[in-house]
């Protein structure tokens, strides 16, 4: 996706620098977070079985719970284990239309999931065997695979430790 150019690009970059200077404290000066981490992130799926097969069989994330949604009769709420106590959840809403995924303000751009080098290679092989289109590694970045799940959600398999970005630890833990 092309972005701004010329003076507009320089203005965007200057604004980012201003925000960084005003709000980003050195790691040693930051207060501890008030959160314990992400309990789960929840998305909507079109088809429970298709979603379970993709995440469990292709990506290797075990299904750990499948219950009725407490807020919508007949709807399922289910979870996959992403490791380190992190869960990925989904809901289905039978009887509702599910329009194609769109990237928009306030919407999800992508979900990045940390995997080690061995699992990265294994996932790449399973995705190829399943015929899933993958972008990456490319653009000089050999640690990311980008794909779309059966619901259109953009997923990045990221061969980087949690709390590390571009080789630099950016969190306190």
């Amino acid at each position: 996706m092309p972005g701004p150019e010329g003076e507009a690009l320089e203005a965007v970059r200057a604004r980012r620098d201003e925000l960084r200077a005003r709000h980003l404290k050195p790691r040693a000066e930051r207060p501890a977070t008030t959160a314990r981490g992400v309990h789960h992130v929840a998305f909507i799926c079109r088809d429970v079985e298709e979603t379970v097969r993709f995440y469990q069989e292709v990506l290797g994330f075990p299904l750990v719970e499948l219950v009725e949604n407490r807020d919508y009769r007949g709807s399922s709420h289910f979870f996959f284990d992403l490791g380190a106590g992190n869960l990925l959840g989904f809901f289905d809403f039978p009887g509702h239309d599910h329009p194609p995924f769109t990237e928009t303000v306030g919407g999800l751009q992508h979900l990045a999931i940390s995997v080690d080098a061995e699992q990265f290679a294994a996932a790449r092989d399973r995705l190829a065997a399943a015929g899933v289109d993958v972008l990456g590694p490319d653009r000089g970045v050999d640690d990311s695979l980008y794909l779309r799940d059966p619901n259109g959600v953009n997923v990045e398999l990221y061969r980087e430790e949690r709390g590390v970005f571009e080789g630099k630890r950016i969190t306190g833990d």
Side-chain angles (χ1 to χ4, degrees):
M1 241 181 357
E5 295 181 15
E7 289 181 22
L9 177 59
E10 292 309 313
V12 167
R13 287 176 173 163
R15 176 68 175 147
R16 183 182 309 110
D17 290 344
E18 176 188 327
L19 291 170
R20 186 182 298 113
R22 183 178 313 140
H23 298 290
L24 183 61
K25 296 178 181 176
R27 205 169 134 211
E29 296 176 24
R30 290 180 213 151
T33 183
T34 60
R36 294 189 298 188
V38 172
H39 182 275
H40 71 275
V41 176
F43 296 101
I44 297 170
C45 73
R46 292 183 300 245
D47 181 289
V48 173
E49 185 171 8
E50 174 186 51
T51 302
V52 168
R53 283 194 327 262
F54 181 79
Y55 281 94
Q56 184 164 259
E57 296 171 17
V58 177
L59 293 183
F61 307 150
L63 180 69
V64 295
E65 184 62 275
L66 174 59
V67 297
E68 185 169 30
N69 178 357
R70 64 182 177 207
D71 302 320
Y72 185 90
R73 284 188 317 268
S75 168
S76 295
H77 192 28
F78 54 104
F79 299 93
F80 300 94
D81 183 351
L82 295 182
N86 296 289
L87 297 169
L88 175 60
F90 282 90
F91 292 98
D92 71 333
F93 290 101
H96 286 264
D97 289 336
H98 297 291
F101 177 85
T102 58
E103 190 173 320
T104 184
V105 173
L108 174 78
Q109 203 283 328
H110 72 274
L111 171 65
I113 299 171
S114 175
V115 295
D116 67 23
E118 181 180 343
Q119 292 303 324
F120 184 88
R124 184 178 51 228
D125 293 344
R126 288 191 308 270
L127 288 161
V132 176
D133 290 332
V134 174
L135 175 63
D138 66 353
R139 23 175 214 110
V141 178
D142 63 359
D143 57 3
S144 292
L145 294 174
Y146 294 93
L147 56 121
R148 288 230 169 139
D149 84 350
N151 307 294
V153 174
N154 293 318
V155 176
E156 175 186 11
L157 298 181
Y158 194 34
R159 192 174 51 194
E160 183 88 78
E161 279 185 58
R162 292 172 297 117
V164 174
F165 184 71
E166 296 184 347
K168 175 182 165 192
R169 175 146 305 275
I170 59 174
T171 63
D173 53 346

